[in-house]
Amino acid sequence: MTDAPSLSVRHKRLIGILLLILVLGGIWYLLSRTPPSAPAFQRGAWNQATPVHVVPAARGSLDVQIKAIGTVTPLHSVVVRSRVDGELLRVHFNEGSEVEQGALLAEIDPAPYRARLAQAEGQAQQIQAQLANARADLELYEGLWEQDSIARQQLTSQRALVEELQGSLKANTAQVEDARLQLSWTRIVAPIAGRLGLRRIDPGNQVSSGDTEGLVTITQMRPIAVEFSVPEPDVPALRRAMAADGELAVQALDRDGRNLLASGRLQTLDSQIDLGTGTLRAKAVFANEDTALFPNQFVNVSLKLQTLSSVITIPSDAVQFGSRGTYVYLVNPEENRAYSRVITLGASADGRVAVVEGLDEGDLVVLEGLDRLRDGREVVISERDGE
């Protein structure tokens, strides 16, 4: 009766040992199918070939550009105000229309200013008559003085009277010119050529030279400027490009950056870098003959600095960054394996970057499938739809 339990225990131990041997044998079998040098995360399912998309390193030209967000700014914008007080009689413009410099915009009641001009001219006429009479008397007195027929004091007083009347005539002439100028200001003309805004006052209202809103705003449309900011690290290259080529080409594109709105040239740079933003303001000028650029419009600015010829370029998305610096994965088509290679980058533009050192023309660079790659990993080169 006592042997039955011990036999049962022996059977259990034997079964446990057999199961342990089977488990260890299975592990050994799996490990034996993976190269000993492969990391643990590459074993099993990770040991399968990774699909990747590759592109060849190409030799060609690369346009070095600065891209920024710009604001369309008119070169001139004028608020048209009245320079005299009075009733606004007539308005001679249509809102939103184009006007030439000197075009008549509005008229203010000229009657009070005509009356002032007539009054000033009448006073001038009186003084001229008085001066003519005084000069005639002076000529007579000078003849009598030569004959010693009058006292010297009388001659001196007459000369003083003539000089006094000459001064009065000069002052009155200035009053006449001022009255004439005031009258001319009752006709309000366009100080610049441009596009008119909305009218801010209607005929029949009283206007004043102190009004801040004015009658209307004129904005110059042709030419027009675009102001944008250049990051501080790009300023030295921009200044070198300006020194080498006085006129740098600038393109203004729409918000999506797809459609070209206008082409112009860089006009000037600001005198100092903004400490708050670390940028330098720049201004470009565009002819804007078709008025595609509108004041205060936001545009994408592309400023071409130079063109690099015969350089190796790859897509910027293929570049990886790590403790070793910048590197890419290359595919050896004979082994179908990917290997990393450290590279030295140059300028970049339009999604491509120049490779100064580390790549040769035609090297197959991995563009997609980078997240599962390691050195020596087996890969399968796939193609995109339509390629």
Side-chain angles (χ1 to χ4, degrees):
M1 298 295 291
T2 58
D3 293 340
S6 61
L7 182 60
S8 177
V9 171
R10 289 176 182 176
H11 286 170
K12 290 180 180 180
R13 289 177 178 176
L14 181 60
I15 293 172
I17 292 171
L18 291 175
L19 290 175
L20 180 60
I21 292 173
L22 290 175
V23 171
L24 293 176
I27 294 175
W28 175 85
Y29 176 77
L30 292 175
L31 292 177
S32 65
R33 294 179 57 86
T34 303
S37 60
F41 54 75
Q42 290 186 354
R43 296 171 183 166
W46 285 92
N47 199 35
Q48 299 177 2
T50 300
V52 295
H53 176 72
V54 299
V55 293
R59 182 178 296 276
S61 60
L62 183 71
D63 291 333
V64 181
Q65 299 174 332
I66 292 177
K67 295 189 176 182
I69 302 297
T71 304
V72 180
T73 306
L75 294 177
H76 298 93
S77 182
V78 177
V79 177
V80 179
R81 298 184 177 92
S82 173
R83 303 179 71 172
V84 293
D85 302 342
E87 180 186 352
L88 181 62
L89 291 182
R90 284 174 289 274
V91 173
H92 297 278
F93 64 87
N94 296 320
E95 297 172 313
S97 61
E98 296 277 346
V99 294
E100 296 296 329
Q101 183 177 7
L104 180 62
L105 300 179
E107 291 182 77
I108 295 173
D109 185 7
Y113 299 96
R114 286 176 180 166
R116 293 178 191 176
L117 176 60
Q119 182 180 11
E121 289 176 339
Q123 291 176 351
Q125 217 170 15
Q126 291 178 355
I127 296 174
Q128 285 176 348
Q130 294 172 1
L131 178 59
N133 184 59
R135 284 174 174 169
D137 289 346
L138 177 60
E139 184 178 355
L140 176 62
Y141 289 172
E142 287 176 343
L144 294 175
W145 167 254
E146 291 176 356
Q147 298 174 8
D148 197 20
S149 300
I150 60 172
R152 183 178 182 85
Q153 181 63 36
Q154 191 174 0
L155 177 61
T156 302
S157 299
Q158 190 64 31
R159 285 176 175 172
L161 178 60
V162 169
E163 292 178 357
E164 179 183 352
L165 290 173
Q166 286 177 338
S168 298
L169 180 61
K170 189 174 182 179
N172 190 258
T173 301
Q175 292 177 2
V176 171
E177 293 299 324
D178 180 67
R180 187 174 287 114
L181 185 62
Q182 297 282 330
L183 178 61
S184 68
W185 286 343
T186 60
R187 290 171 56 88
I188 301 175
V189 299
I192 63 171
R195 173 171 291 178
L196 293 163
L198 301 179
R199 188 175 69 237
R200 296 169 183 165
I201 192 169
D202 297 323
N205 286 283
Q206 290 290 321
V207 296
S208 170
S209 58
D211 291 340
T212 57
E213 288 191 359
L215 278 68
V216 69
T217 298
I218 304 178
T219 302
Q220 181 178 339
M221 301 294 291
R222 296 183 294 269
I224 205 165
V226 172
E227 294 185 1
F228 58 98
S229 297
V230 178
E232 184 177 354
D234 294 333
V235 172
L238 175 57
R239 296 186 63 192
R240 287 194 299 268
M242 291 183 66
D245 185 359
E247 292 190 358
L248 298 180
V250 182
Q251 291 183 330
L253 301 95
D254 61 7
R255 282 180 174 266
D256 296 332
R258 298 177 181 176
N259 300 317
L260 177 64
L261 299 178
S263 297
R265 58 180 179 82
L266 182 66
Q267 184 185 58
T268 186
L269 301 177
D270 201 355
S271 59
Q272 58 185 353
I273 294 175
D274 190 329
L275 293 177
T277 61
T279 59
L280 179 68
R281 292 194 62 79
K283 179 185 287 186
V285 177
F286 298 80
N288 201 34
E289 293 296 338
D290 58 353
T291 64
L293 299 179
F294 204 80
N296 294 336
Q297 176 184 4
F298 288 98
V299 294
N300 285 290
V301 176
S302 177
L303 170 60
K304 181 180 177 181
L305 296 183
Q306 60 176 325
T307 299
L308 301 178
S309 302
S310 189
V311 293
I312 301 295
T313 64
I314 60 174
S316 301
D317 292 341
V319 179
Q320 302 296 296
F321 302 89
S323 58
R324 298 178 298 168
T326 54
Y327 65 95
V328 294
Y329 277 103
L330 301 181
V331 172
N332 186 333
E334 297 179 356
E335 300 179 4
N336 283 332
R337 293 187 181 276
Y339 299 94
S340 64
R341 182 180 296 178
V342 177
I343 59 174
T344 303
L345 300 180
S348 62
D350 296 329
R352 296 190 70 85
V353 59
V355 180
V356 179
E357 185 178 351
L359 287 182
D360 295 323
E361 183 179 1
D363 285 346
L364 297 180
V365 180
V366 178
L367 181 60
E368 296 180 0
L370 292 162
D371 54 332
R372 298 183 61 185
L373 287 185
R374 298 294 184 273
D375 271 331
R377 182 69 182 271
E378 186 178 359
V379 296
V380 176
I381 299 177
S382 62
E383 295 184 356
R384 291 176 176 174
D385 295 338
E387 292 187 349

